[in-house]
Amino acid sequence: MQIIETVLALALTLGILVTLHEFGHFWVARRCGVKVLRFSVGFGKPIFSWYDRHGTEFAVAAIPLGGYVKMLDEREGPVPEELRDQAFTSKTPGQRIAIAAAGPVANFLFAIAAYWLLGVVGVTHVAPIVGEVADGSVAQRIGLQEGMEIHSVDGHRVSSWRDVNMRILERTGEHGDIALSVSDDGARGTISGPLDGWRLSEDTPNPLAEFGITPWRPAIPPVLGQISNDGRAQAAGLKTGDRVLAVEGEPVGSWFDLVERVRNAPGRTLQITVERGGSEQVFQVTPEARTEDGGETIGFIGAGVEAVTWPEEVLRDVSYGPIAALPVALSETWADTRLTLVAIQKMITGLLSPNNLSGPITIARVAEASVSSGFEDFVRFLAYLSVSLGILNLLPVPVLDGGHIVYYSIEALRGKPLSEQAQAFGLRIGMAMILTLMVFALYNDLMRL
């Protein structure tokens, strides 16, 4: 069932972003006088289709992993004389550049619109307050302490852990100092220290944890808030509202203590002491053995935690008016753009391992998690992925939009296009590069399973 949900999340994510990308090409092509033969959402055989008054076929195809725009093009077959002026190849280099660039531009515009929507609707962030600091970490070296709230990283304002994550990600692999503006008990100041080549791990990197920060969270008592109908907890007689006091006679101080005890006892009967109605009761529970994606076998009893309310003082409500939200949306989109460009540059220079590159499996899992997390997380994920898609397509690699823009720019400067042989050679090189990148990203995905 989870695999189906993951695949559907991937299809939804790529379907939205690639369709928007192709709509950019379609919209500008129409305005440049190019005849669009087909606009397809998805690949393969159309499930259903219809035609507009311009003769363009709009189709929904069987494989919902993107889409494409097919234009009248003399390179793909003979074009009737009366339609030759509507062929893509008959347009000026400037018009063809505009059509090629329109797809990535549509991705950037979508990201701006997404962040603008979140700004207007309003979101609530948990303030980036430090919980624990790992010994020997960069966080400890620069002087971060438990209870400090982070307000900026290298002069860039941050209001959530997502913001902090993105800012420290930009510094991976570097040796210079990193500066954080923090407050502690009302006193505000700046702390800084050397990164000393701090890097992300190559396997499922977690920037905050690897930097040495555990975010603060309220104490979560070991109180059962959910009981699955067919789980081991219900079978043993446990009920919602039960507060777990001990497991095998050892006191349980928090929900995480309980989870750890259960995870470490697959198939082994545990004696669990709970408080119910003012009295203590003991139950025999045998956690079900489950195997996770990584192959580890854990215990599972089918019980969930009681909802915990975050204190008001650590929550930050962020909302803007329709006009004020626009510069914020532009800033968020630029931050995503900068992060993506920095990551590409660091992979090329070796400061960031290529093993951090992700492919469709990782995208699918993140998409499924963001869909499950709620509207805000999913919209943010779509916006970031849209920016990444736009940047990727603008790279000067034949096959991609950026490669076509380079060809058309050379044509504009020379007054004539590159030879067919040169374009064909570039196409082969571009295909080889993209296929190599895709295979490598897929390999990384498989290694993370």
Side-chain angles (χ1 to χ4, degrees), residues 305-333:
V305 65
E306 185 177 60
V308 175
T309 302
W310 287 80
E312 289 291 332
E313 60 268 21
V314 303
L315 300 179
R316 304 289 183 267
D317 293 322
V318 181
S319 63
Y320 305 90
I323 296 177
L326 183 57
V328 175
L330 291 170
S331 177
E332 291 272 14
T333 303

PDB file of all heavy atoms in Angstrom, residues 305-333:
ATOM      1  N   VAL A 305       1.128   8.173  19.888  1.00  0.00           N
ATOM      2  CA  VAL A 305       1.283   9.115  21.004  1.00  0.00           C
ATOM      3  C   VAL A 305       0.075  10.044  21.105  1.00  0.00           C
ATOM      4  O   VAL A 305      -0.583  10.357  20.105  1.00  0.00           O
ATOM      5  CB  VAL A 305       2.575   9.941  20.819  1.00  0.00           C
ATOM      6  CG1 VAL A 305       2.472  10.829  19.590  1.00  0.00           C
ATOM      7  CG2 VAL A 305       2.880  10.776  22.058  1.00  0.00           C
ATOM      8  N   GLU A 306      -0.200  10.483  22.306  1.00  0.00           N
ATOM      9  CA  GLU A 306      -1.234  11.488  22.518  1.00  0.00           C
ATOM     10  C   GLU A 306      -0.724  12.834  21.993  1.00  0.00           C
ATOM     11  O   GLU A 306       0.442  13.173  22.172  1.00  0.00           O
ATOM     12  CB  GLU A 306      -1.556  11.596  24.010  1.00  0.00           C
ATOM     13  CG  GLU A 306      -2.698  12.533  24.328  1.00  0.00           C
ATOM     14  CD  GLU A 306      -3.025  12.539  25.813  1.00  0.00           C
ATOM     15  OE1 GLU A 306      -2.135  12.892  26.621  1.00  0.00           O
ATOM     16  OE2 GLU A 306      -4.154  12.189  26.175  1.00  0.00           O
ATOM     17  N   ALA A 307      -1.585  13.583  21.324  1.00  0.00           N
ATOM     18  CA  ALA A 307      -1.180  14.851  20.733  1.00  0.00           C
ATOM     19  C   ALA A 307      -0.611  15.787  21.802  1.00  0.00           C
ATOM     20  O   ALA A 307      -1.153  15.891  22.901  1.00  0.00           O
ATOM     21  CB  ALA A 307      -2.366  15.514  20.048  1.00  0.00           C
ATOM     22  N   VAL A 308       0.515  16.430  21.434  1.00  0.00           N
ATOM     23  CA  VAL A 308       1.175  17.345  22.357  1.00  0.00           C
ATOM     24  C   VAL A 308       1.038  18.765  21.814  1.00  0.00           C
ATOM     25  O   VAL A 308       1.248  19.006  20.630  1.00  0.00           O
ATOM     26  CB  VAL A 308       2.669  16.985  22.506  1.00  0.00           C
ATOM     27  CG1 VAL A 308       3.378  18.020  23.369  1.00  0.00           C
ATOM     28  CG2 VAL A 308       2.805  15.598  23.117  1.00  0.00           C
ATOM     29  N   THR A 309       0.681  19.679  22.658  1.00  0.00           N
ATOM     30  CA  THR A 309       0.522  21.078  22.249  1.00  0.00           C
ATOM     31  C   THR A 309       1.828  21.835  22.456  1.00  0.00           C
ATOM     32  O   THR A 309       2.417  21.790  23.538  1.00  0.00           O
ATOM     33  CB  THR A 309      -0.587  21.765  23.077  1.00  0.00           C
ATOM     34  OG1 THR A 309      -1.812  21.055  22.899  1.00  0.00           O
ATOM     35  CG2 THR A 309      -0.776  23.210  22.626  1.00  0.00           C
ATOM     36  N   TRP A 310       2.284  22.499  21.379  1.00  0.00           N
ATOM     37  CA  TRP A 310       3.493  23.310  21.490  1.00  0.00           C
ATOM     38  C   TRP A 310       3.175  24.587  22.265  1.00  0.00           C
ATOM     39  O   TRP A 310       2.146  25.212  22.037  1.00  0.00           O
ATOM     40  CB  TRP A 310       4.018  23.678  20.106  1.00  0.00           C
ATOM     41  CG  TRP A 310       4.653  22.537  19.378  1.00  0.00           C
ATOM     42  CD1 TRP A 310       4.016  21.549  18.697  1.00  0.00           C
ATOM     43  CD2 TRP A 310       6.049  22.268  19.279  1.00  0.00           C
ATOM     44  NE1 TRP A 310       4.932  20.670  18.166  1.00  0.00           N
ATOM     45  CE2 TRP A 310       6.196  21.089  18.503  1.00  0.00           C
ATOM     46  CE3 TRP A 310       7.196  22.907  19.746  1.00  0.00           C
ATOM     47  CZ2 TRP A 310       7.436  20.544  18.199  1.00  0.00           C
ATOM     48  CZ3 TRP A 310       8.440  22.356  19.447  1.00  0.00           C
ATOM     49  CH2 TRP A 310       8.550  21.194  18.684  1.00  0.00           C
ATOM     50  N   PRO A 311       4.058  25.009  23.152  1.00  0.00           N
ATOM     51  CA  PRO A 311       3.834  26.260  23.887  1.00  0.00           C
ATOM     52  C   PRO A 311       3.729  27.448  22.926  1.00  0.00           C
ATOM     53  O   PRO A 311       4.457  27.523  21.938  1.00  0.00           O
ATOM     54  CB  PRO A 311       5.088  26.383  24.770  1.00  0.00           C
ATOM     55  CG  PRO A 311       5.635  24.990  24.860  1.00  0.00           C
ATOM     56  CD  PRO A 311       5.307  24.330  23.562  1.00  0.00           C
ATOM     57  N   GLU A 312       2.844  28.369  23.211  1.00  0.00           N
ATOM     58  CA  GLU A 312       2.637  29.530  22.343  1.00  0.00           C
ATOM     59  C   GLU A 312       3.913  30.342  22.149  1.00  0.00           C
ATOM     60  O   GLU A 312       4.141  30.915  21.084  1.00  0.00           O
ATOM     61  CB  GLU A 312       1.541  30.433  22.927  1.00  0.00           C
ATOM     62  CG  GLU A 312       0.133  29.854  22.844  1.00  0.00           C
ATOM     63  CD  GLU A 312      -0.370  29.784  21.415  1.00  0.00           C
ATOM     64  OE1 GLU A 312       0.067  30.605  20.581  1.00  0.00           O
ATOM     65  OE2 GLU A 312      -1.180  28.884  21.124  1.00  0.00           O
ATOM     66  N   GLU A 313       4.757  30.385  23.161  1.00  0.00           N
ATOM     67  CA  GLU A 313       5.945  31.234  23.072  1.00  0.00           C
ATOM     68  C   GLU A 313       6.989  30.727  22.077  1.00  0.00           C
ATOM     69  O   GLU A 313       7.928  31.454  21.716  1.00  0.00           O
ATOM     70  CB  GLU A 313       6.602  31.403  24.453  1.00  0.00           C
ATOM     71  CG  GLU A 313       7.062  30.113  25.114  1.00  0.00           C
ATOM     72  CD  GLU A 313       5.991  29.507  26.016  1.00  0.00           C
ATOM     73  OE1 GLU A 313       4.797  29.839  25.830  1.00  0.00           O
ATOM     74  OE2 GLU A 313       6.364  28.718  26.895  1.00  0.00           O
ATOM     75  N   VAL A 314       6.864  29.477  21.603  1.00  0.00           N
ATOM     76  CA  VAL A 314       7.839  28.978  20.627  1.00  0.00           C
ATOM     77  C   VAL A 314       7.262  28.933  19.212  1.00  0.00           C
ATOM     78  O   VAL A 314       7.921  28.477  18.288  1.00  0.00           O
ATOM     79  CB  VAL A 314       8.352  27.578  21.023  1.00  0.00           C
ATOM     80  CG1 VAL A 314       8.953  27.595  22.413  1.00  0.00           C
ATOM     81  CG2 VAL A 314       7.270  26.520  20.898  1.00  0.00           C
ATOM     82  N   LEU A 315       6.022  29.389  19.064  1.00  0.00           N
ATOM     83  CA  LEU A 315       5.396  29.403  17.747  1.00  0.00           C
ATOM     84  C   LEU A 315       5.478  30.796  17.140  1.00  0.00           C
ATOM     85  O   LEU A 315       5.351  31.799  17.839  1.00  0.00           O
ATOM     86  CB  LEU A 315       3.932  28.956  17.841  1.00  0.00           C
ATOM     87  CG  LEU A 315       3.689  27.542  18.385  1.00  0.00           C
ATOM     88  CD1 LEU A 315       2.195  27.267  18.447  1.00  0.00           C
ATOM     89  CD2 LEU A 315       4.394  26.494  17.513  1.00  0.00           C
ATOM     90  N   ARG A 316       5.710  30.844  15.826  1.00  0.00           N
ATOM     91  CA  ARG A 316       5.804  32.106  15.118  1.00  0.00           C
ATOM     92  C   ARG A 316       4.795  32.111  13.967  1.00  0.00           C
ATOM     93  O   ARG A 316       4.915  31.328  13.026  1.00  0.00           O
ATOM     94  CB  ARG A 316       7.222  32.308  14.562  1.00  0.00           C
ATOM     95  CG  ARG A 316       8.330  32.229  15.608  1.00  0.00           C
ATOM     96  CD  ARG A 316       8.327  33.429  16.524  1.00  0.00           C
ATOM     97  NE  ARG A 316       9.432  33.378  17.474  1.00  0.00           N
ATOM     98  CZ  ARG A 316       9.349  32.860  18.687  1.00  0.00           C
ATOM     99  NH1 ARG A 316       8.193  32.348  19.101  1.00  0.00           N
ATOM    100  NH2 ARG A 316      10.388  32.853  19.498  1.00  0.00           N
ATOM    101  N   ASP A 317       3.783  32.968  14.081  1.00  0.00           N
ATOM    102  CA  ASP A 317       2.799  33.108  13.001  1.00  0.00           C
ATOM    103  C   ASP A 317       3.337  34.089  11.965  1.00  0.00           C
ATOM    104  O   ASP A 317       3.697  35.228  12.290  1.00  0.00           O
ATOM    105  CB  ASP A 317       1.466  33.623  13.552  1.00  0.00           C
ATOM    106  CG  ASP A 317       0.800  32.607  14.469  1.00  0.00           C
ATOM    107  OD1 ASP A 317       0.876  31.408  14.161  1.00  0.00           O
ATOM    108  OD2 ASP A 317       0.207  33.018  15.490  1.00  0.00           O
ATOM    109  N   VAL A 318       3.403  33.623  10.721  1.00  0.00           N
ATOM    110  CA  VAL A 318       3.949  34.441   9.643  1.00  0.00           C
ATOM    111  C   VAL A 318       2.897  34.596   8.548  1.00  0.00           C
ATOM    112  O   VAL A 318       2.460  33.611   7.952  1.00  0.00           O
ATOM    113  CB  VAL A 318       5.223  33.802   9.040  1.00  0.00           C
ATOM    114  CG1 VAL A 318       5.794  34.688   7.936  1.00  0.00           C
ATOM    115  CG2 VAL A 318       6.262  33.566  10.127  1.00  0.00           C
ATOM    116  N   SER A 319       2.461  35.823   8.293  1.00  0.00           N
ATOM    117  CA  SER A 319       1.509  36.088   7.221  1.00  0.00           C
ATOM    118  C   SER A 319       1.714  37.508   6.709  1.00  0.00           C
ATOM    119  O   SER A 319       2.218  38.381   7.437  1.00  0.00           O
ATOM    120  CB  SER A 319       0.066  35.892   7.695  1.00  0.00           C
ATOM    121  OG  SER A 319      -0.249  36.821   8.717  1.00  0.00           O
ATOM    122  N   TYR A 320       1.326  37.737   5.461  1.00  0.00           N
ATOM    123  CA  TYR A 320       1.519  39.029   4.825  1.00  0.00           C
ATOM    124  C   TYR A 320       0.279  39.394   4.017  1.00  0.00           C
ATOM    125  O   TYR A 320      -0.521  38.525   3.650  1.00  0.00           O
ATOM    126  CB  TYR A 320       2.730  39.005   3.887  1.00  0.00           C
ATOM    127  CG  TYR A 320       4.014  38.561   4.536  1.00  0.00           C
ATOM    128  CD1 TYR A 320       4.383  37.209   4.560  1.00  0.00           C
ATOM    129  CD2 TYR A 320       4.872  39.480   5.127  1.00  0.00           C
ATOM    130  CE1 TYR A 320       5.562  36.792   5.146  1.00  0.00           C
ATOM    131  CE2 TYR A 320       6.052  39.074   5.729  1.00  0.00           C
ATOM    132  CZ  TYR A 320       6.392  37.732   5.733  1.00  0.00           C
ATOM    133  OH  TYR A 320       7.562  37.319   6.325  1.00  0.00           O
ATOM    134  N   GLY A 321       0.157  40.659   3.710  1.00  0.00           N
ATOM    135  CA  GLY A 321      -0.882  41.100   2.793  1.00  0.00           C
ATOM    136  C   GLY A 321      -0.497  40.720   1.371  1.00  0.00           C
ATOM    137  O   GLY A 321       0.656  40.366   1.111  1.00  0.00           O
ATOM    138  N   PRO A 322      -1.429  40.806   0.434  1.00  0.00           N
ATOM    139  CA  PRO A 322      -1.153  40.400  -0.952  1.00  0.00           C
ATOM    140  C   PRO A 322       0.051  41.111  -1.573  1.00  0.00           C
ATOM    141  O   PRO A 322       0.805  40.500  -2.332  1.00  0.00           O
ATOM    142  CB  PRO A 322      -2.445  40.761  -1.680  1.00  0.00           C
ATOM    143  CG  PRO A 322      -3.497  40.707  -0.627  1.00  0.00           C
ATOM    144  CD  PRO A 322      -2.837  41.206   0.621  1.00  0.00           C
ATOM    145  N   ILE A 323       0.239  42.395  -1.250  1.00  0.00           N
ATOM    146  CA  ILE A 323       1.362  43.138  -1.830  1.00  0.00           C
ATOM    147  C   ILE A 323       2.660  42.820  -1.089  1.00  0.00           C
ATOM    148  O   ILE A 323       3.699  42.562  -1.706  1.00  0.00           O
ATOM    149  CB  ILE A 323       1.073  44.651  -1.804  1.00  0.00           C
ATOM    150  CG1 ILE A 323      -0.135  44.967  -2.693  1.00  0.00           C
ATOM    151  CG2 ILE A 323       2.292  45.437  -2.274  1.00  0.00           C
ATOM    152  CD1 ILE A 323      -0.555  46.417  -2.673  1.00  0.00           C
ATOM    153  N   ALA A 324       2.609  42.812   0.233  1.00  0.00           N
ATOM    154  CA  ALA A 324       3.810  42.541   1.031  1.00  0.00           C
ATOM    155  C   ALA A 324       4.326  41.123   0.820  1.00  0.00           C
ATOM    156  O   ALA A 324       5.525  40.854   1.009  1.00  0.00           O
ATOM    157  CB  ALA A 324       3.516  42.773   2.508  1.00  0.00           C
ATOM    158  N   ALA A 325       3.436  40.202   0.424  1.00  0.00           N
ATOM    159  CA  ALA A 325       3.850  38.801   0.237  1.00  0.00           C
ATOM    160  C   ALA A 325       4.710  38.613  -1.005  1.00  0.00           C
ATOM    161  O   ALA A 325       5.465  37.644  -1.093  1.00  0.00           O
ATOM    162  CB  ALA A 325       2.620  37.906   0.153  1.00  0.00           C
ATOM    163  N   LEU A 326       4.620  39.542  -1.968  1.00  0.00           N
ATOM    164  CA  LEU A 326       5.357  39.375  -3.222  1.00  0.00           C
ATOM    165  C   LEU A 326       6.870  39.422  -3.036  1.00  0.00           C
ATOM    166  O   LEU A 326       7.582  38.507  -3.491  1.00  0.00           O
ATOM    167  CB  LEU A 326       4.897  40.413  -4.243  1.00  0.00           C
ATOM    168  CG  LEU A 326       5.551  40.301  -5.631  1.00  0.00           C
ATOM    169  CD1 LEU A 326       5.314  38.909  -6.216  1.00  0.00           C
ATOM    170  CD2 LEU A 326       5.011  41.381  -6.559  1.00  0.00           C
ATOM    171  N   PRO A 327       7.433  40.464  -2.383  1.00  0.00           N
ATOM    172  CA  PRO A 327       8.891  40.444  -2.198  1.00  0.00           C
ATOM    173  C   PRO A 327       9.367  39.264  -1.350  1.00  0.00           C
ATOM    174  O   PRO A 327      10.473  38.752  -1.554  1.00  0.00           O
ATOM    175  CB  PRO A 327       9.186  41.785  -1.500  1.00  0.00           C
ATOM    176  CG  PRO A 327       7.882  42.271  -0.976  1.00  0.00           C
ATOM    177  CD  PRO A 327       6.839  41.723  -1.889  1.00  0.00           C
ATOM    178  N   VAL A 328       8.536  38.814  -0.422  1.00  0.00           N
ATOM    179  CA  VAL A 328       8.898  37.634   0.376  1.00  0.00           C
ATOM    180  C   VAL A 328       8.968  36.400  -0.520  1.00  0.00           C
ATOM    181  O   VAL A 328       9.894  35.584  -0.415  1.00  0.00           O
ATOM    182  CB  VAL A 328       7.878  37.417   1.514  1.00  0.00           C
ATOM    183  CG1 VAL A 328       8.185  36.117   2.263  1.00  0.00           C
ATOM    184  CG2 VAL A 328       7.892  38.592   2.476  1.00  0.00           C
ATOM    185  N   ALA A 329       7.981  36.268  -1.430  1.00  0.00           N
ATOM    186  CA  ALA A 329       7.970  35.140  -2.361  1.00  0.00           C
ATOM    187  C   ALA A 329       9.184  35.176  -3.282  1.00  0.00           C
ATOM    188  O   ALA A 329       9.799  34.144  -3.572  1.00  0.00           O
ATOM    189  CB  ALA A 329       6.686  35.152  -3.188  1.00  0.00           C
ATOM    190  N   LEU A 330       9.545  36.364  -3.743  1.00  0.00           N
ATOM    191  CA  LEU A 330      10.736  36.505  -4.594  1.00  0.00           C
ATOM    192  C   LEU A 330      11.993  36.115  -3.826  1.00  0.00           C
ATOM    193  O   LEU A 330      12.886  35.440  -4.364  1.00  0.00           O
ATOM    194  CB  LEU A 330      10.846  37.945  -5.096  1.00  0.00           C
ATOM    195  CG  LEU A 330       9.784  38.392  -6.111  1.00  0.00           C
ATOM    196  CD1 LEU A 330       9.865  39.900  -6.329  1.00  0.00           C
ATOM    197  CD2 LEU A 330       9.962  37.652  -7.437  1.00  0.00           C
ATOM    198  N   SER A 331      12.052  36.524  -2.550  1.00  0.00           N
ATOM    199  CA  SER A 331      13.217  36.191  -1.724  1.00  0.00           C
ATOM    200  C   SER A 331      13.321  34.688  -1.495  1.00  0.00           C
ATOM    201  O   SER A 331      14.412  34.108  -1.567  1.00  0.00           O
ATOM    202  CB  SER A 331      13.115  36.923  -0.385  1.00  0.00           C
ATOM    203  OG  SER A 331      14.187  36.570   0.469  1.00  0.00           O
ATOM    204  N   GLU A 332      12.187  34.036  -1.233  1.00  0.00           N
ATOM    205  CA  GLU A 332      12.180  32.585  -1.018  1.00  0.00           C
ATOM    206  C   GLU A 332      12.619  31.853  -2.286  1.00  0.00           C
ATOM    207  O   GLU A 332      13.393  30.891  -2.234  1.00  0.00           O
ATOM    208  CB  GLU A 332      10.774  32.129  -0.613  1.00  0.00           C
ATOM    209  CG  GLU A 332      10.322  32.598   0.762  1.00  0.00           C
ATOM    210  CD  GLU A 332      10.729  31.636   1.855  1.00  0.00           C
ATOM    211  OE1 GLU A 332      11.578  30.764   1.600  1.00  0.00           O
ATOM    212  OE2 GLU A 332      10.188  31.752   2.968  1.00  0.00           O
ATOM    213  N   THR A 333      12.118  32.316  -3.432  1.00  0.00           N
ATOM    214  CA  THR A 333      12.482  31.678  -4.697  1.00  0.00           C
ATOM    215  C   THR A 333      13.962  31.870  -4.987  1.00  0.00           C
ATOM    216  O   THR A 333      14.640  30.942  -5.461  1.00  0.00           O
ATOM    217  CB  THR A 333      11.637  32.255  -5.849  1.00  0.00           C
ATOM    218  OG1 THR A 333      10.248  32.073  -5.553  1.00  0.00           O
ATOM    219  CG2 THR A 333      11.950  31.565  -7.168  1.00  0.00           C
TER     220      THR A 333
END
